[in-house]
Amino acid sequence: MPPVVYQDKCQGCGKCEEICPGDLMELNEKKKAFCRAKRDCWDCMACVKACRFEALETRIPYQLGYYPARLIPKVREKEIEWTCIDINGKVDKFLVKTHNK
Ligand code: SF4
Ligand code: SF4
């Protein structure tokens, strides 16, 4: 399932387009990101982690959790704070370091 793009948050920086290993993300004429081939997305989340504007969100595939289960990253300089919301609305947060000293 491709990432959800929040159009109001997308700043058109192009990072998601640059980083997608499948070359699936593009900017439209309004400089907003979209996935041009949804069926080809394999949920690697590279684009979601690259977005500094919280404009992308992963919807957890139905095999793992029904809607409204969500996984939302907040990218900081040296860590990502993941917010996981399960199907009952329970919220868990995880911090993952992305840089070593
Ligand atoms: S990385 Fe985020 S802000 Fe930049 S173009 Fe992609 S969705 Fe928009
Ligand atoms: S989740 Fe991975 S494959 Fe899918 S659009 Fe983002 S970067 Fe590309």
Side-chain angles (χ1 to χ4, degrees):
M1 187 183 287
V4 173
V5 183
Y6 290 101
Q7 301 280 305
D8 53 328
K9 292 184 177 175
C10 178
Q11 303 296 309
C13 71
K15 273 283 181 196
C16 55
E17 186 179 30
E18 200 177 288
I19 205 162
C20 176
D23 193 20
L24 305 179
M25 297 299 286
E26 262 184 55
L27 297 181
N28 64 19
E29 63 286 347
K30 292 181 179 167
K31 294 280 181 203
K32 301 290 182 182
F34 71 100
C35 180
R36 65 177 177 79
K38 295 179 178 175
R39 292 177 61 181
D40 291 342
C41 172
W42 60 92
D43 288 319
C44 74
M45 301 178 76
C47 59
V48 178
K49 291 188 286 185
C51 182
R52 298 274 163 173
F53 301 98
E54 298 174 31
L56 297 179
E57 186 178 295
T58 294
R59 286 290 154 84
I60 297 173
Y62 72 88
Q63 296 94 335
L64 299 177
Y66 290 108
Y67 182 84
R70 293 188 290 161
L71 203 49
I72 309 159
K74 187 171 278 185
V75 181
R76 304 196 184 107
E77 194 180 344
K78 294 184 177 175
E79 64 187 19
I80 299 177
E81 179 187 292
W82 289 96
T83 300
C84 180
I85 304 171
D86 75 10
I87 56 173
N88 299 313
K90 181 173 170 280
V91 178
D92 277 315
K93 290 184 183 275
F94 306 92
L95 267 187
V96 178
K97 287 191 189 307
T98 52
H99 287 71
N100 292 320
K101 285 185 183 166

